[in-house]
Structure formats: structure tokens, C-alpha cells
Amino acid sequence: MYRTFAEKLAEPDLIELDDRIYVLRFEVMKVTSVYAAVKDLLARGVIRPGQTLVDSSSGIYGHALALVCRELGLKCHIFASVAVDTAIRTQLKYLGATFDQVPPSESLKHDQETRVRRVHAYLNEHPDAYWMRQYHDDVHYVGYEKVANSLIGELGSADLTLVGGVGTGASTGAMSRYLRAAGGDVRVAGIQPFGSRSFGAESVPLDGFIIAGIGSGIRFDNIDYSAYDDIHWLDFDVAAAGCRHLLSTTGVFAGLSAGAGWQVARYHRSVEPTGGPIVFIAADPGHRYVDKVYPLDGPLVADPGYRPAVISDLADIAGPWCTTNWARRSFSVRDNLPELELLAS
């Protein structure tokens, strides 16, 4: 029995789907990192009960922070992107959080910069508030140690391929760290949308729909570039087709990043048919994507038919899907940074 709802949400379910492909399914993935991070900060005296925690969010981080703050006796204020829908705003309200939603932006970069700018202004007006810095503080790694250990226990080994969105770096980056520390032979395939600057695709135009939570318009310090063996860039159509195929063939109803993960996992199995287990991450259910991703009049197909173009130079990044062997190399996005991003360091 779980003592609290947050405790339950912090633990994902591992489900075997087909051909040694597994989905690590979360209800609200960010609860895993936020729950552990906030408890760690409280234990170290960095924050105290009753204090206001503030951050920027495109959806599930804000929900997670509000839930954890309610449970642990803290206040919460969120600067929300336009992607934060009515369902999440409703939960923020009833969990006792306050929030400001920024207007629509022409780019992921502008959206995230606007939200971080609002955070700085809020901190100037409320100096006692604490910025969680989900993009920059690796305290958000801590909660994934338990998840990594659980994976090892259920699969009987830490030798696997891990597939998931890069986002702020805390999920796939953290899990690879803990799996490798346990001696695992771990291949990590990170997923990015076009237009994300983390791995050099910021010059490629977005295709009209941001895959919330897996890309970056500004620099994220939490990303350990050397953790990733492969990087995949996918557009909305590829990820959405993956969502529909995942639901129709396995029953798993999940969001866009999971649809992208299913596509990437199946591709890796096709090129390594006798390889070890492949685990892809489903960060949230598909409810917030129903209108755009799961139309009732949409076609049901046996296989979406997408396959990636394999590239060796970042200059060749192009849609709808391409991939490169990143080979755990480092990467710098610090050149010519605007003042705002330097302040966020």
C-alpha cells in the first residue's frame, strides 16, 4: 500500500510489449524526479517547509511540483507554457499552486526564454522563493536511481538499450548514469524534436507543433551529452504515427514522446534483431494529445512505415526522421549565449 498519491506516481510500471521491447510507463514521470529532489533539498536544509518553490514548465513538471509541494507542506508557483492545458491548470488550482501562463510564442526558444525571464522577475519580487532550476540542477537525477535499480531487478541485468526523450537531461541521462554505475552495458538513444538546440538542430524549423518536454530552446546544464550513444530527431507526424500504432497494437495510450520512443525502439530492434532488451520511456498518458494525435477518423495502419535517415554530420539534419551515432561525445551550446541564459547558469 502506498502512503501518498505522489509516492504511487513516483513508481513506473515496466511492461513487456513485443520482441523484448519494454515500455517503462509513468503516469506523471516528473513526480519521480521532483519527489526525490524536494525531499533531498529539505533534508539538506536548502529549503524549508512553508517556502514557495517556483519554476517554468511545459506541463508535467508543474503538475508534479504542485503535487509534491502540497504533500510536503510547501507553496508552489509555476510559469506555464501555452502547452499547459485545462486539465493540468485545473490540477494546479486544486493542489493549491498558483500559476501564470505565457502567451503563444513563435518558437520553442522564445517560449522558454520568456518563462525563465518571468521566473527571474518573480524572484526579484519574492526573494524568499526558491527556484527549482529543473533545467540546471542535477538534484533532479536523484529519483531515477530507484527506477534504474528496479529495472535491473525486473530484467535480471543492467545490459539494455534505453530509449527516451532528452528534455532537461534528468530521465535518460540519470538512468544511464545509475545503470552504468551498476556495471551495465547500456546503449542510450536520446530523442529530440527538430528546432531543439541541445544537440544542434536549432536551425531546422519546427513543424508547427512542439513535442513538449523533450526539446530545448535554451541551454540546459542538466544534460550530460556524453551519456548518449545515439540521437534521433523526429517530427510531429512520425511521433504521432508512433502513438497511434502503439495504442492499436499494444493497448498503451501514451503521449507524443512515447510515440517517438516506440518508433525508435522498433527501429533499434530491426537493426539488432538478436540484441538485448530495449526499454523506452512513456512519460505520461495520451489524454492531452487526443485532438491532434488520435483523431476518430484517422486511419489504422499495420505499420506507419517511417524509417530514419542515418547521418554523420549535424549539417545534414533533416526531417521527418534522422539519426546519428553520437558516440558519447561532449557538445557545447555556450557560444554566443544571450545574457538571460548566462543568468540561468
Side-chain angles (χ1 to χ4, degrees), residues 62 126 144 210 279:
H126 305 84
Y144 292 104
I210 296 172
V279 179

Side-chain angles (χ1 to χ4, degrees), residues 157-170:
S157 171
D159 298 344
L160 56 91
T161 296
L162 178 68
V163 176
V166 174
T168 63

Side-chain angles (χ1 to χ4, degrees), residues 269-294:
R269 176 54 74 226
S270 72
V271 296
E272 299 177 356
T274 61
I278 299 173
V279 179
F280 74 96
I281 296 172
D284 60 350
H287 301 92
R288 64 192 289 205
Y289 306 97
V290 166
D291 292 341
K292 292 183 178 293
V293 175
Y294 298 98

Side-chain angles (χ1 to χ4, degrees), residues 2-344:
Y2 297 98
R3 294 169 296 174
T4 68
F5 190 49
E7 184 179 77
K8 166 64 180 81
L9 293 183
E11 297 191 7
D13 299 306
L14 182 66
I15 305 165
E16 184 172 10
L17 300 180
D18 183 39
D19 202 13
R20 302 199 74 199
I21 297 177
Y22 302 77
V23 59
L24 188 63
R25 184 192 178 278
F26 293 82
E27 193 70 23
V28 186
M29 185 181 72
K30 293 294 186 178
V31 173
T32 301
S33 61
V34 173
Y35 197 42
V38 173
K39 289 199 293 185
D40 180 82
L41 292 170
L42 283 168
R44 291 190 284 120
V46 177
I47 59 176
R48 65 182 187 282
Q51 197 167 3
T52 298
L53 306 188
V54 60
D55 215 332
S56 159
S57 173
S58 61
I60 59 176
Y61 184 90
H63 174 207
L65 188 60
L67 180 68
V68 171
C69 284
R70 188 213 61 81
E71 178 179 318
L72 298 179
L74 295 135
K75 299 173 185 176
C76 175
H77 187 80
I78 297 297
F79 289 92
S81 80
V82 70
V84 175
D85 60 14
T86 301
I88 293 179
R89 293 196 302 269
T90 299
Q91 290 178 87
L92 293 177
K93 172 186 174 180
Y94 283 94
L95 288 167
T98 54
F99 62 91
D100 292 304
Q101 191 159 25
V102 303
S105 298
E106 71 275 10
S107 69
L108 179 62
K109 179 178 186 293
H110 186 264
D111 175 72
Q112 289 177 328
E113 281 188 348
T114 298
R115 285 186 275 133
V116 173
R117 196 179 300 278
R118 295 279 186 91
V119 170
H120 282 292
Y122 184 91
L123 293 170
N124 286 334
E125 295 172 4
H126 305 84
D128 190 52
Y130 183 82
W131 182 18
M132 284 296 295
R133 302 175 81 245
Q134 68 150 321
Y135 303 147
H136 306 300
D137 190 344
D138 67 1
V139 71
H140 292 89
Y141 274 42
V142 175
Y144 292 104
E145 182 174 15
K146 183 177 180 181
V147 177
N149 291 337
S150 177
L151 266 182
I152 296 169
E154 294 199 48
L155 296 175
S157 171
D159 298 344
L160 56 91
T161 296
L162 178 68
V163 176
V166 174
T168 63
S171 57
T172 45
M175 288 178 61
S176 66
R177 175 185 294 180
Y178 295 123
L179 289 167
R180 287 168 179 159
D185 180 12
V186 182
R187 187 176 189 91
V188 181
I191 299 171
Q192 289 274 274
F194 294 102
S196 174
R197 73 174 298 176
S198 294
F199 286 83
E202 66 269 22
S203 63
V204 182
L206 288 166
D207 58 339
F209 192 96
I210 296 172
I211 304 177
I214 70 171
S216 62
I218 60 176
R219 177 181 52 81
F220 291 169
D221 280 341
N222 269 347
I223 298 175
D224 176 5
Y225 292 92
S226 66
Y228 296 91
D229 297 279
D230 304 280
I231 294 295
H232 291 259
W233 294 268
L234 291 82
D235 71 10
F236 169 80
D237 288 339
V238 178
C243 287
R244 295 188 292 269
H245 185 257
L246 177 64
L247 176 58
S248 62
T249 59
T250 72
V252 176
F253 180 51
L256 273 172
S257 63
W262 175 238
Q263 297 277 46
V264 171
R266 292 171 62 242
Y267 166 73
H268 277 275
R269 176 54 74 226
S270 72
V271 296
E272 299 177 356
T274 61
I278 299 173
V279 179
F280 74 96
I281 296 172
D284 60 350
H287 301 92
R288 64 192 289 205
Y289 306 97
V290 166
D291 292 341
K292 292 183 178 293
V293 175
Y294 298 98
L296 286 175
D297 58 353
L300 294 175
V301 294
D303 187 327
Y306 290 104
R307 295 295 181 270
V310 179
I311 64 172
S312 57
D313 191 311
L314 294 182
D316 297 327
I317 293 175
W321 178 6
C322 62
T323 184
T324 193
N325 177 223
W326 189 259
R328 304 188 190 183
R329 65 181 184 267
S330 60
F331 185 64
S332 175
V333 294
R334 297 189 64 89
D335 296 336
N336 302 315
L337 291 178
E339 181 181 359
L340 179 67
E341 294 194 48
L342 294 173
L343 286 171

